[in-house]
Amino acid sequence: MIDNEEEYRRMFEVEQKLWWYGRLHRMVLKNIRQQFEDRQIRILDAACGTGGLLSYLHAKGYKNCSGFDASAHAVKFSKDRQLDVDLGDLRKVNAFRPEQTYDVICCNDALYFLTDEEISDTLRQFKSRLVPNGMILINIHAFQVFAGTHDLAVGSSRRFTLKDFQKLTKDTGLQITHSTYWPFTLALPISLVRGFQRLQIKRGAYRDTKPESDVKYPGDFINNTLEKLMRFEEKWLPRAPFGSSLFMQLKPEISHQSY
């Protein structure tokens, strides 16, 4: 997806109004507010895309935010939003402003580009850039049953479970302190749609054309309905056992020393 300007344009156009991004951004904000009262904390969005999350946090009063992305297209769209964003690589986190540490590091829907070894190394680099009481917030697409044309469009070849990340965080000095799959209430319809898409892929429907991602605005009525559904789920089901995405909070492990 790094070279796919059209996909980034789609993201840029809907990121501040689509129900899916709204839910994700609220989860990030909730986790930040639960730990930090100070809005002057430093926040890094690693692989920030077109800057939707940074723009959202900036509007909520968090002015000390920055980010990086490996795509020049994404960086351009972010700069169009007047955001502090530069080119950067998830494999080389420590090369991005190495003198700076952060209270919060976010990384949403990007780690799937990396191998398992690279993911673990990136997590170690994230940890090295945190202040002592800092945290990492990660969202990643989950469960192979939800794979479909969206995965092809964004260049993803796999999906993850919580158990996968429990293994990936081993020996990184990090622990997963909160996690939830989402959206739980839409899991069945999403899996049915994606199952039909996989059948089309298997039959060669996209042999000559590249599929588009699901990043599309469905119209005000549907979007508002799904937005209300997500707010209901956030209130009454803050931790769910199943869904097409996995959201996690990670913190440095507390060492237990004997005296």
Side-chain angles (χ1 to χ4, degrees):
M1 180 173 166
I2 289 176
D3 296 323
N4 193 334
E5 183 178 8
E6 187 55 36
E7 282 298 334
Y8 284 111
R9 186 179 304 280
R10 293 174 191 274
M11 186 187 302
F12 179 78
E13 291 174 349
V14 304
E15 205 169 5
Q16 293 181 314
K17 60 182 181 180
L18 187 65
W19 64 273
W20 190 91
Y21 286 111
R23 170 77 186 272
L24 175 59
H25 294 169
R26 288 193 301 273
M27 286 194 294
V28 170
L29 180 63
K30 180 180 178 180
N31 277 264
I32 292 174
R33 284 180 170 174
Q34 284 176 339
Q35 179 155 333
F36 300 101
E37 294 183 3
D38 184 6
R39 295 192 182 184
Q40 298 305 311
I41 59 172
R42 290 191 175 93
I43 301 173
L44 172 67
D45 191 356
C48 63
T50 62
L53 175 60
L54 290 172
S55 182
Y56 174 83
L57 292 173
H58 197 272
K60 295 298 181 179
Y62 296 89
K63 309 299 184 183
N64 204 355
C65 300
S66 58
F68 69 79
D69 199 279
S71 169
H73 300 304
V75 171
K76 177 184 178 300
F77 283 119
S78 292
K79 287 185 178 295
D80 285 346
R81 287 186 166 128
Q82 308 302 312
L83 297 171
D84 181 17
V85 171
D86 289 313
L87 282 170
D89 189 339
L90 280 173
R91 300 176 184 87
K92 301 176 182 178
V93 178
N94 286 333
F96 178 78
R97 303 179 185 178
E99 74 289 347
Q100 186 64 69
T101 55
Y102 301 92
D103 300 278
V104 180
I105 297 177
C106 304
C107 185
N108 295 324
D109 301 289
L111 290 174
Y112 60 82
F113 285 114
L114 310 182
T115 66
D116 285 357
E117 293 77 11
E118 289 172 336
I119 291 174
S120 294
D121 184 61
T122 294
L123 293 176
R124 291 187 191 96
Q125 292 186 66
F126 283 166
K127 179 179 178 292
S128 73
R129 304 299 300 276
L130 286 177
V131 300
N133 66 331
M135 68 177 174
I136 301 164
L137 300 175
I138 292 174
N139 195 72
I140 196 77
H141 44 261
F143 294 113
Q144 278 303 124
V145 70
F146 295 107
T149 55
H150 177 80
D151 299 64
L152 289 180
V154 300
S156 172
S157 59
R158 59 176 178 159
R159 287 174 167 259
F160 297 82
T161 64
L162 180 59
K163 287 185 178 180
D164 293 328
F165 264 87
Q166 288 170 338
K167 293 177 182 177
L168 291 168
T169 55
K170 186 178 180 180
D171 300 324
T172 64
L174 294 166
Q175 59 183 338
I176 300 171
T177 50
H178 169 76
S179 66
T180 183
Y181 292 103
W182 69 284
F184 179 73
T185 51
L186 295 175
L188 179 58
I190 292 175
S191 65
L192 291 174
V193 170
R194 297 285 175 81
F196 177 71
Q197 291 175 353
R198 290 196 303 275
L199 182 61
Q200 288 183 305
I201 294 170
K202 191 174 182 179
R203 290 177 174 176
Y206 298 99
R207 192 171 298 155
D208 301 318
T209 58
K210 185 175 178 60
E212 297 177 351
S213 74
D214 293 341
V215 183
K216 299 175 184 176
Y217 190 70
D220 290 344
F221 177 77
I222 294 176
N223 194 70
N224 292 340
T225 300
L226 295 176
E227 174 75 10
K228 291 176 182 177
L229 185 60
M230 289 302 98
R231 290 185 180 275
F232 172 86
E233 193 173 298
E234 290 169 58
K235 182 177 181 178
W236 298 106
L237 198 61
R239 297 190 70 173
F242 195 58
S244 59
S245 288
L246 170 63
F247 182 83
M248 296 169 288
Q249 178 194 92
L250 294 82
K251 292 183 180 179
E253 291 179 340
I254 300 175
S255 59
H256 299 282
Q257 298 180 347
S258 298
Y259 295 93

